[in-house]
Amino acid sequence: MSWHEGVRVVFEDARGRYVEALRDIESGEVLLSEKCAAAMVYRNTDPPCCSFCLRFLEKDPPEFRCDGCKLECYCSTACKDEARRSYHSSDGECAAFEAGIEAEAIGFEFGDVPERFLLRVLSQAGGWRTPGGPIVVGAGIDRVRMLQAHVPAPDTEERGRLAGISRNTLRLMDESVEDGVRVVDPSGDEPATTSRYGEAELTQLLCSV
């Protein structure tokens, strides 16, 4: 992340995190630049955009759509294939999206934010590809985890709601709610170390996104 020299990030308990200008900012100045860790197009985006490269689609309804979940739309077969290869795997994110749509049809909540986007972060930034497969610690997921987040206090209604979303996310991923999803840290010379992301860790991540 690269901030403009004319601003700074401030955090206060009462106001949370915000950006403060240190001088007058000219119109059109770039204040922040950062490589995207995860990106997702909302279902009702108008005009529609490619779910991979984010370009506006020339045709509406889209010509290229995911054959599985039907949520992801693309501008070309190349983008469709690259999304499938890099993060939208048929057994992973795509299947989880399909499960979310099925649950939504019988009354469960599966919104673009936060439910669907949390899955996108885990797959695109975290490298999760299939049930039983790991989240890989690295630059993408670490950048999200580094974000300062307000996590509601335990035993509050909001914390309970977010914990419920975290548990349901594990169910959509076909992962154990009790054990969570496996996390692998490949850094260092030794064999990769493993841990788990359970309800608490996903709730923290949910608050970050």
Side-chain angles (χ1 to χ4, degrees), residues 51-98:
S51 297
F52 182 75
C53 71
L54 307 183
R55 292 188 179 95
F56 289 126
L57 298 180
E58 296 181 358
K59 295 184 178 181
D60 188 11
E63 183 177 4
F64 305 99
R65 188 181 292 273
C66 175
D67 299 320
C69 67
K70 306 295 193 296
L71 290 178
E72 303 286 285
C73 303
Y74 305 99
C75 63
S76 65
T77 56
C79 279
K80 180 179 177 179
D81 292 344
E82 185 60 22
R84 180 73 76 190
R85 184 199 66 80
S86 57
Y87 62 87
H88 192 64
S89 62
S90 57
D91 294 331
E93 183 188 80
C94 182
F97 282 4
E98 284 188 82

Short mmCIF file of all heavy atoms in Angstrom, two decimals, residues 51-98:
data_model
loop_
_atom_site.label_atom_id
_atom_site.label_comp_id
_atom_site.label_asym_id
_atom_site.label_seq_id
_atom_site.Cartn_x
_atom_site.Cartn_y
_atom_site.Cartn_z
N SER A 51 -16.28 -10.50 -14.41
CA SER A 51 -15.92 -10.88 -13.05
C SER A 51 -14.42 -11.08 -12.86
O SER A 51 -13.94 -11.10 -11.73
CB SER A 51 -16.64 -12.18 -12.66
OG SER A 51 -18.03 -12.00 -12.65
N PHE A 52 -13.68 -11.19 -13.96
CA PHE A 52 -12.23 -11.39 -13.85
C PHE A 52 -11.44 -10.10 -14.09
O PHE A 52 -10.72 -9.64 -13.22
CB PHE A 52 -11.75 -12.48 -14.82
CG PHE A 52 -10.28 -12.76 -14.70
CD1 PHE A 52 -9.79 -13.50 -13.63
CD2 PHE A 52 -9.39 -12.29 -15.65
CE1 PHE A 52 -8.43 -13.74 -13.51
CE2 PHE A 52 -8.04 -12.53 -15.54
CZ PHE A 52 -7.56 -13.26 -14.46
N CYS A 53 -11.60 -9.50 -15.26
CA CYS A 53 -10.80 -8.30 -15.58
C CYS A 53 -11.51 -7.00 -15.22
O CYS A 53 -10.91 -5.92 -15.27
CB CYS A 53 -10.42 -8.30 -17.06
SG CYS A 53 -11.79 -7.97 -18.20
N LEU A 54 -12.81 -7.09 -14.86
CA LEU A 54 -13.62 -5.96 -14.41
C LEU A 54 -13.97 -4.96 -15.51
O LEU A 54 -14.49 -3.89 -15.23
CB LEU A 54 -12.95 -5.23 -13.24
CG LEU A 54 -12.54 -6.10 -12.05
CD1 LEU A 54 -11.95 -5.24 -10.94
CD2 LEU A 54 -13.71 -6.91 -11.52
N ARG A 55 -13.70 -5.31 -16.77
CA ARG A 55 -14.12 -4.43 -17.86
C ARG A 55 -15.64 -4.49 -18.02
O ARG A 55 -16.27 -5.50 -17.72
CB ARG A 55 -13.47 -4.86 -19.18
CG ARG A 55 -11.97 -4.66 -19.24
CD ARG A 55 -11.47 -4.92 -20.67
NE ARG A 55 -10.03 -4.71 -20.77
CZ ARG A 55 -9.14 -5.69 -20.67
NH1 ARG A 55 -9.55 -6.93 -20.46
NH2 ARG A 55 -7.86 -5.44 -20.79
N PHE A 56 -16.21 -3.38 -18.54
CA PHE A 56 -17.64 -3.40 -18.85
C PHE A 56 -17.90 -4.42 -19.96
O PHE A 56 -17.12 -4.55 -20.91
CB PHE A 56 -18.11 -2.02 -19.31
CG PHE A 56 -18.15 -1.00 -18.21
CD1 PHE A 56 -17.49 0.21 -18.35
CD2 PHE A 56 -18.86 -1.23 -17.05
CE1 PHE A 56 -17.52 1.17 -17.35
CE2 PHE A 56 -18.89 -0.30 -16.03
CZ PHE A 56 -18.22 0.90 -16.19
N LEU A 57 -19.01 -5.15 -19.81
CA LEU A 57 -19.38 -6.14 -20.81
C LEU A 57 -20.13 -5.47 -21.96
O LEU A 57 -20.97 -4.60 -21.74
CB LEU A 57 -20.26 -7.22 -20.19
CG LEU A 57 -19.61 -8.05 -19.06
CD1 LEU A 57 -20.60 -9.09 -18.54
CD2 LEU A 57 -18.34 -8.73 -19.55
N GLU A 58 -19.81 -5.91 -23.17
CA GLU A 58 -20.44 -5.32 -24.35
C GLU A 58 -21.86 -5.83 -24.54
O GLU A 58 -22.68 -5.15 -25.16
CB GLU A 58 -19.60 -5.62 -25.59
CG GLU A 58 -18.22 -4.98 -25.57
CD GLU A 58 -17.43 -5.27 -26.82
OE1 GLU A 58 -17.95 -6.01 -27.69
OE2 GLU A 58 -16.30 -4.76 -26.93
N LYS A 59 -22.15 -7.03 -24.02
CA LYS A 59 -23.47 -7.62 -24.23
C LYS A 59 -24.19 -7.80 -22.90
O LYS A 59 -23.60 -8.17 -21.90
CB LYS A 59 -23.34 -8.97 -24.94
CG LYS A 59 -22.78 -8.87 -26.35
CD LYS A 59 -22.77 -10.22 -27.05
CE LYS A 59 -22.25 -10.10 -28.48
NZ LYS A 59 -22.24 -11.40 -29.19
N ASP A 60 -25.48 -7.53 -22.90
CA ASP A 60 -26.32 -7.71 -21.73
C ASP A 60 -27.64 -8.35 -22.20
O ASP A 60 -28.39 -7.72 -22.95
CB ASP A 60 -26.59 -6.38 -21.04
CG ASP A 60 -27.31 -6.54 -19.71
OD1 ASP A 60 -27.40 -7.69 -19.23
OD2 ASP A 60 -27.75 -5.51 -19.15
N PRO A 61 -27.93 -9.61 -21.84
CA PRO A 61 -27.22 -10.42 -20.85
C PRO A 61 -25.85 -10.87 -21.33
O PRO A 61 -25.60 -10.93 -22.54
CB PRO A 61 -28.15 -11.62 -20.63
CG PRO A 61 -28.92 -11.71 -21.90
CD PRO A 61 -29.11 -10.31 -22.37
N PRO A 62 -24.95 -11.18 -20.39
CA PRO A 62 -23.58 -11.54 -20.75
C PRO A 62 -23.51 -12.78 -21.63
O PRO A 62 -24.31 -13.71 -21.50
CB PRO A 62 -22.92 -11.80 -19.38
CG PRO A 62 -23.77 -11.08 -18.40
CD PRO A 62 -25.16 -11.15 -18.94
N GLU A 63 -22.54 -12.79 -22.53
CA GLU A 63 -22.37 -13.93 -23.44
C GLU A 63 -21.69 -15.10 -22.74
O GLU A 63 -21.96 -16.26 -23.06
CB GLU A 63 -21.54 -13.48 -24.64
CG GLU A 63 -21.34 -14.56 -25.69
CD GLU A 63 -20.58 -14.05 -26.91
OE1 GLU A 63 -20.15 -12.87 -26.90
OE2 GLU A 63 -20.41 -14.84 -27.85
N PHE A 64 -20.79 -14.80 -21.79
CA PHE A 64 -20.03 -15.85 -21.12
C PHE A 64 -20.34 -15.83 -19.62
O PHE A 64 -20.16 -14.81 -18.96
CB PHE A 64 -18.52 -15.66 -21.34
CG PHE A 64 -18.14 -15.56 -22.79
CD1 PHE A 64 -17.92 -14.32 -23.38
CD2 PHE A 64 -18.02 -16.71 -23.56
CE1 PHE A 64 -17.57 -14.23 -24.72
CE2 PHE A 64 -17.67 -16.63 -24.90
CZ PHE A 64 -17.45 -15.38 -25.49
N ARG A 65 -20.81 -16.94 -19.12
CA ARG A 65 -21.21 -17.05 -17.72
C ARG A 65 -20.66 -18.35 -17.15
O ARG A 65 -20.49 -19.34 -17.86
CB ARG A 65 -22.73 -17.02 -17.60
CG ARG A 65 -23.26 -16.93 -16.17
CD ARG A 65 -24.78 -16.92 -16.17
NE ARG A 65 -25.33 -15.71 -16.74
CZ ARG A 65 -25.57 -14.60 -16.07
NH1 ARG A 65 -25.28 -14.54 -14.77
NH2 ARG A 65 -26.10 -13.54 -16.66
N CYS A 66 -20.35 -18.36 -15.83
CA CYS A 66 -19.88 -19.58 -15.19
C CYS A 66 -20.91 -20.68 -15.36
O CYS A 66 -22.10 -20.47 -15.11
CB CYS A 66 -19.61 -19.33 -13.70
SG CYS A 66 -19.16 -20.82 -12.79
N ASP A 67 -20.47 -21.86 -15.78
CA ASP A 67 -21.38 -22.97 -16.01
C ASP A 67 -21.91 -23.57 -14.72
O ASP A 67 -22.90 -24.30 -14.74
CB ASP A 67 -20.67 -24.07 -16.81
CG ASP A 67 -20.21 -23.58 -18.18
OD1 ASP A 67 -20.96 -22.82 -18.81
OD2 ASP A 67 -19.08 -23.94 -18.58
N GLY A 68 -21.22 -23.28 -13.59
CA GLY A 68 -21.62 -23.86 -12.32
C GLY A 68 -22.56 -22.95 -11.53
O GLY A 68 -23.78 -23.14 -11.53
N CYS A 69 -22.01 -21.93 -10.90
CA CYS A 69 -22.81 -21.07 -10.01
C CYS A 69 -23.71 -20.10 -10.76
O CYS A 69 -24.68 -19.60 -10.20
CB CYS A 69 -21.89 -20.31 -9.06
SG CYS A 69 -20.83 -19.07 -9.88
N LYS A 70 -23.36 -19.79 -12.01
CA LYS A 70 -24.10 -18.84 -12.85
C LYS A 70 -24.01 -17.40 -12.34
O LYS A 70 -24.63 -16.50 -12.91
CB LYS A 70 -25.59 -19.23 -12.94
CG LYS A 70 -25.85 -20.65 -13.42
CD LYS A 70 -25.41 -20.89 -14.83
CE LYS A 70 -25.93 -22.19 -15.41
NZ LYS A 70 -25.45 -23.40 -14.72
N LEU A 71 -23.23 -17.15 -11.28
CA LEU A 71 -23.10 -15.80 -10.74
C LEU A 71 -22.02 -14.99 -11.45
O LEU A 71 -22.14 -13.78 -11.59
CB LEU A 71 -22.78 -15.85 -9.24
CG LEU A 71 -23.88 -16.32 -8.31
CD1 LEU A 71 -23.37 -16.36 -6.88
CD2 LEU A 71 -25.09 -15.40 -8.40
N GLU A 72 -20.97 -15.68 -11.88
CA GLU A 72 -19.82 -15.00 -12.47
C GLU A 72 -20.02 -14.84 -13.97
O GLU A 72 -20.34 -15.80 -14.67
CB GLU A 72 -18.54 -15.78 -12.20
CG GLU A 72 -18.27 -16.02 -10.71
CD GLU A 72 -17.79 -14.77 -10.01
OE1 GLU A 72 -16.63 -14.38 -10.19
OE2 GLU A 72 -18.60 -14.18 -9.25
N CYS A 73 -19.81 -13.61 -14.47
CA CYS A 73 -19.95 -13.32 -15.90
C CYS A 73 -18.62 -12.80 -16.43
O CYS A 73 -17.87 -12.14 -15.72
CB CYS A 73 -21.04 -12.27 -16.12
SG CYS A 73 -22.65 -12.73 -15.46
N TYR A 74 -18.35 -13.08 -17.71
CA TYR A 74 -17.05 -12.77 -18.27
C TYR A 74 -17.17 -12.14 -19.65
O TYR A 74 -18.17 -12.31 -20.35
CB TYR A 74 -16.20 -14.04 -18.36
CG TYR A 74 -16.07 -14.76 -17.04
CD1 TYR A 74 -16.87 -15.87 -16.74
CD2 TYR A 74 -15.18 -14.32 -16.07
CE1 TYR A 74 -16.77 -16.53 -15.53
CE2 TYR A 74 -15.08 -14.97 -14.84
CZ TYR A 74 -15.88 -16.07 -14.58
OH TYR A 74 -15.79 -16.71 -13.37
N CYS A 75 -16.10 -11.44 -20.03
CA CYS A 75 -16.08 -10.79 -21.35
C CYS A 75 -15.55 -11.72 -22.42
O CYS A 75 -15.71 -11.45 -23.62
CB CYS A 75 -15.24 -9.52 -21.30
SG CYS A 75 -13.49 -9.79 -20.91
N SER A 76 -14.92 -12.83 -22.02
CA SER A 76 -14.33 -13.74 -22.99
C SER A 76 -14.12 -15.11 -22.35
O SER A 76 -14.13 -15.24 -21.12
CB SER A 76 -12.99 -13.20 -23.49
OG SER A 76 -12.04 -13.17 -22.41
N THR A 77 -13.89 -16.11 -23.18
CA THR A 77 -13.55 -17.43 -22.65
C THR A 77 -12.20 -17.41 -21.96
O THR A 77 -11.96 -18.19 -21.04
CB THR A 77 -13.55 -18.48 -23.77
OG1 THR A 77 -12.65 -18.06 -24.81
CG2 THR A 77 -14.94 -18.66 -24.36
N ALA A 78 -11.31 -16.52 -22.41
CA ALA A 78 -9.99 -16.42 -21.78
C ALA A 78 -10.12 -15.99 -20.32
O ALA A 78 -9.47 -16.57 -19.43
CB ALA A 78 -9.11 -15.44 -22.55
N CYS A 79 -10.95 -14.98 -20.04
CA CYS A 79 -11.16 -14.54 -18.67
C CYS A 79 -11.87 -15.62 -17.85
O CYS A 79 -11.55 -15.85 -16.69
CB CYS A 79 -11.97 -13.24 -18.65
SG CYS A 79 -11.00 -11.74 -18.95
N LYS A 80 -12.82 -16.28 -18.47
CA LYS A 80 -13.55 -17.36 -17.80
C LYS A 80 -12.60 -18.49 -17.40
O LYS A 80 -12.63 -18.97 -16.26
CB LYS A 80 -14.64 -17.89 -18.72
CG LYS A 80 -15.49 -19.02 -18.15
CD LYS A 80 -16.55 -19.43 -19.17
CE LYS A 80 -17.37 -20.61 -18.67
NZ LYS A 80 -18.41 -21.01 -19.64
N ASP A 81 -11.73 -18.88 -18.30
CA ASP A 81 -10.79 -19.96 -18.03
C ASP A 81 -9.75 -19.54 -16.98
O ASP A 81 -9.37 -20.35 -16.13
CB ASP A 81 -10.09 -20.39 -19.31
CG ASP A 81 -11.04 -21.07 -20.29
OD1 ASP A 81 -12.14 -21.48 -19.87
OD2 ASP A 81 -10.68 -21.16 -21.48
N GLU A 82 -9.29 -18.30 -17.05
CA GLU A 82 -8.28 -17.85 -16.09
C GLU A 82 -8.86 -17.72 -14.69
O GLU A 82 -8.19 -18.03 -13.71
CB GLU A 82 -7.69 -16.51 -16.55
CG GLU A 82 -6.54 -15.99 -15.69
CD GLU A 82 -5.35 -16.93 -15.65
OE1 GLU A 82 -5.21 -17.77 -16.57
OE2 GLU A 82 -4.55 -16.83 -14.70
N ALA A 83 -10.11 -17.28 -14.59
CA ALA A 83 -10.76 -17.22 -13.28
C ALA A 83 -10.89 -18.62 -12.69
O ALA A 83 -10.61 -18.84 -11.50
CB ALA A 83 -12.14 -16.57 -13.40
N ARG A 84 -11.28 -19.58 -13.52
CA ARG A 84 -11.42 -20.96 -13.07
C ARG A 84 -10.07 -21.51 -12.60
O ARG A 84 -9.98 -22.20 -11.59
CB ARG A 84 -11.97 -21.82 -14.20
CG ARG A 84 -12.16 -23.29 -13.86
CD ARG A 84 -13.34 -23.51 -12.93
NE ARG A 84 -14.61 -23.42 -13.63
CZ ARG A 84 -15.78 -23.40 -13.02
NH1 ARG A 84 -15.84 -23.44 -11.70
NH2 ARG A 84 -16.90 -23.31 -13.69
N ARG A 85 -9.02 -21.18 -13.32
CA ARG A 85 -7.70 -21.69 -12.99
C ARG A 85 -7.13 -21.04 -11.73
O ARG A 85 -6.51 -21.70 -10.89
CB ARG A 85 -6.74 -21.43 -14.15
CG ARG A 85 -5.34 -22.01 -13.94
CD ARG A 85 -4.32 -21.38 -14.86
NE ARG A 85 -4.12 -19.97 -14.55
CZ ARG A 85 -3.36 -19.55 -13.55
NH1 ARG A 85 -2.76 -20.41 -12.73
NH2 ARG A 85 -3.21 -18.25 -13.33
N SER A 86 -7.37 -19.73 -11.56
CA SER A 86 -6.66 -19.00 -10.53
C SER A 86 -7.39 -18.91 -9.19
O SER A 86 -6.75 -18.83 -8.14
CB SER A 86 -6.32 -17.58 -11.01
OG SER A 86 -7.50 -16.89 -11.40
N TYR A 87 -8.74 -18.92 -9.18
CA TYR A 87 -9.43 -18.83 -7.89
C TYR A 87 -10.85 -19.40 -7.89
O TYR A 87 -11.32 -19.90 -6.89
CB TYR A 87 -9.48 -17.38 -7.38
CG TYR A 87 -10.23 -16.43 -8.28
CD1 TYR A 87 -11.60 -16.26 -8.17
CD2 TYR A 87 -9.56 -15.70 -9.25
CE1 TYR A 87 -12.29 -15.39 -9.00
CE2 TYR A 87 -10.24 -14.83 -10.09
CZ TYR A 87 -11.60 -14.68 -9.96
OH TYR A 87 -12.28 -13.82 -10.79
N HIS A 88 -11.57 -19.36 -9.02
CA HIS A 88 -12.98 -19.78 -9.04
C HIS A 88 -13.07 -21.26 -9.42
O HIS A 88 -13.69 -21.63 -10.42
CB HIS A 88 -13.76 -18.90 -10.02
CG HIS A 88 -15.25 -19.07 -9.92
ND1 HIS A 88 -15.97 -18.73 -8.79
CD2 HIS A 88 -16.15 -19.55 -10.82
CE1 HIS A 88 -17.25 -18.98 -9.00
NE2 HIS A 88 -17.38 -19.49 -10.21
N SER A 89 -12.44 -22.11 -8.62
CA SER A 89 -12.38 -23.54 -8.94
C SER A 89 -13.75 -24.19 -8.79
O SER A 89 -14.57 -23.79 -7.96
CB SER A 89 -11.36 -24.24 -8.04
OG SER A 89 -11.74 -24.14 -6.68
N SER A 90 -13.98 -25.22 -9.60
CA SER A 90 -15.29 -25.87 -9.62
C SER A 90 -15.62 -26.53 -8.29
O SER A 90 -16.79 -26.56 -7.87
CB SER A 90 -15.35 -26.89 -10.75
OG SER A 90 -14.32 -27.86 -10.62
N ASP A 91 -14.61 -27.09 -7.60
CA ASP A 91 -14.86 -27.76 -6.32
C ASP A 91 -14.77 -26.82 -5.13
O ASP A 91 -15.16 -27.20 -4.03
CB ASP A 91 -13.83 -28.89 -6.12
CG ASP A 91 -14.01 -30.01 -7.12
OD1 ASP A 91 -15.15 -30.22 -7.58
OD2 ASP A 91 -13.01 -30.67 -7.45
N GLY A 92 -14.24 -25.62 -5.36
CA GLY A 92 -14.03 -24.67 -4.27
C GLY A 92 -15.04 -23.53 -4.27
O GLY A 92 -16.20 -23.70 -3.90
N GLU A 93 -14.59 -22.36 -4.70
CA GLU A 93 -15.45 -21.17 -4.64
C GLU A 93 -16.74 -21.35 -5.42
O GLU A 93 -17.82 -20.97 -4.96
CB GLU A 93 -14.69 -19.95 -5.15
CG GLU A 93 -15.51 -18.67 -5.02
CD GLU A 93 -14.86 -17.47 -5.69
OE1 GLU A 93 -14.97 -17.34 -6.94
OE2 GLU A 93 -14.26 -16.66 -4.97
N CYS A 94 -16.65 -21.91 -6.63
CA CYS A 94 -17.85 -22.08 -7.45
C CYS A 94 -18.88 -22.94 -6.75
O CYS A 94 -20.08 -22.61 -6.70
CB CYS A 94 -17.48 -22.68 -8.80
SG CYS A 94 -18.87 -22.86 -9.94
N ALA A 95 -18.43 -24.07 -6.19
CA ALA A 95 -19.35 -24.96 -5.47
C ALA A 95 -19.93 -24.28 -4.24
O ALA A 95 -21.11 -24.47 -3.91
CB ALA A 95 -18.63 -26.25 -5.09
N ALA A 96 -19.11 -23.47 -3.55
CA ALA A 96 -19.59 -22.74 -2.37
C ALA A 96 -20.64 -21.71 -2.77
O ALA A 96 -21.65 -21.52 -2.07
CB ALA A 96 -18.42 -22.07 -1.65
N PHE A 97 -20.43 -21.03 -3.90
CA PHE A 97 -21.43 -20.08 -4.40
C PHE A 97 -22.73 -20.82 -4.74
O PHE A 97 -23.83 -20.33 -4.43
CB PHE A 97 -20.91 -19.37 -5.64
CG PHE A 97 -19.93 -18.26 -5.37
CD1 PHE A 97 -19.48 -17.98 -4.09
CD2 PHE A 97 -19.44 -17.48 -6.41
CE1 PHE A 97 -18.57 -16.96 -3.84
CE2 PHE A 97 -18.54 -16.46 -6.19
CZ PHE A 97 -18.10 -16.19 -4.90
N GLU A 98 -22.61 -21.97 -5.38
CA GLU A 98 -23.80 -22.76 -5.71
C GLU A 98 -24.57 -23.14 -4.44
O GLU A 98 -25.80 -23.03 -4.39
CB GLU A 98 -23.40 -24.03 -6.46
CG GLU A 98 -23.01 -23.84 -7.90
CD GLU A 98 -22.84 -25.17 -8.61
OE1 GLU A 98 -23.86 -25.75 -9.03
OE2 GLU A 98 -21.69 -25.64 -8.72
#
